Amino acid sequence: MSDTSHAPSGPEPEPRWLDEAEMRAWQAWRRAVPLVNAAIARDLARDSGLSESDYDVLAMLSRSPDRRRRISGLAELMLWSRSRLSHQLTRMEQRGLVRREGVAADGRGAEVVLTEAGFAVIVEAAPMHVESVRRHLIDLLTPDQLEALAALGDTLAAAFNDSPPWRT
């Protein structure tokens, strides 16, 4: 007996092709995001020797209570897979920026802790990083454009809130 569960049940619907305005928006997005990210990442590496991933982990931990977080919670907060975060933490541990510790309260799980050296690095890097973000994004946009960008980001993030792409 053949499996027909994947057999087409009729003609495929026509693709919903992008109109001119939609195509312009899509292409603008595809061009702008990598350009802005690359410029900021280049400045970050030049100014502080940090990668974007290094900076993201250090910044998240520096704003966390006691400069520590459960690894699973940090991965979720950063929208990263646990595997990606684990590899990143290994590289950062080797440089003395973070350390992993067991969770004393329940004996399960692990936390990542920002070391004093890691805190010093983020404190030194942050002013240069924010200047780069201003130069390559914030100062190029009007207040209305900034508001629209924030609303766009919130809308897109909410659409993926329950099912990030790496969980499918």
Side-chain angles (χ1 to χ4, degrees):
M1 184 164 150
S2 66
D3 179 12
T4 59
S5 62
H6 298 293
S9 59
E12 289 291 318
E14 260 313 294
R16 294 179 46 223
W17 299 111
L18 301 180
D19 65 26
E20 190 172 322
E22 293 166 336
M23 181 60 82
R24 182 172 168 257
W26 171 239
Q27 292 300 320
W29 171 272
R30 295 286 293 169
R31 280 190 318 270
V33 171
L35 288 170
V36 171
N37 284 344
I40 293 169
R42 180 195 63 230
D43 288 354
L44 184 62
R46 180 196 65 219
D47 296 341
S48 66
L50 295 173
S51 69
E52 288 178 287
S53 297
D54 293 334
Y55 189 91
D56 291 344
V57 170
L58 294 173
M60 288 288 188
L61 290 174
S62 73
R63 294 189 304 264
S64 298
D66 299 324
R67 298 182 192 148
R68 64 177 55 232
R69 279 208 180 261
R70 279 189 181 262
I71 292 174
S72 59
L74 182 60
E76 189 141 328
L77 184 64
M78 295 183 69
L79 304 176
W80 287 6
S81 69
R82 287 186 192 181
S83 174
R84 176 181 179 190
L85 180 58
S86 179
H87 289 293
Q88 179 65 37
L89 293 177
T90 296
R91 290 187 294 274
M92 294 176 76
E93 278 181 304
Q94 292 168 348
R95 292 169 26 224
L97 301 174
V98 299
R99 70 177 179 275
R100 289 182 240 210
E101 296 180 356
V103 178
D106 65 12
R108 297 178 310 174
E111 292 181 317
V112 60
V113 180
L114 183 62
T115 64
E116 287 303 318
F119 185 68
V121 166
I122 192 69
V123 165
E124 185 176 333
M128 293 176 285
H129 182 60
V130 75
E131 181 54 38
S132 178
V133 170
R134 286 192 162 287
R135 185 172 52 256
H136 298 298
L137 178 65
I138 303 301
D139 292 346
L140 299 176
L141 303 177
T142 67
D144 287 344
Q145 289 171 323
L146 286 172
E147 182 57 38
L149 181 60
L152 170 76
D154 291 345
T155 298
L156 294 174
F160 289 98
N161 208 18
D162 292 332
S163 59
W166 60 88
R167 286 194 188 152
T168 58

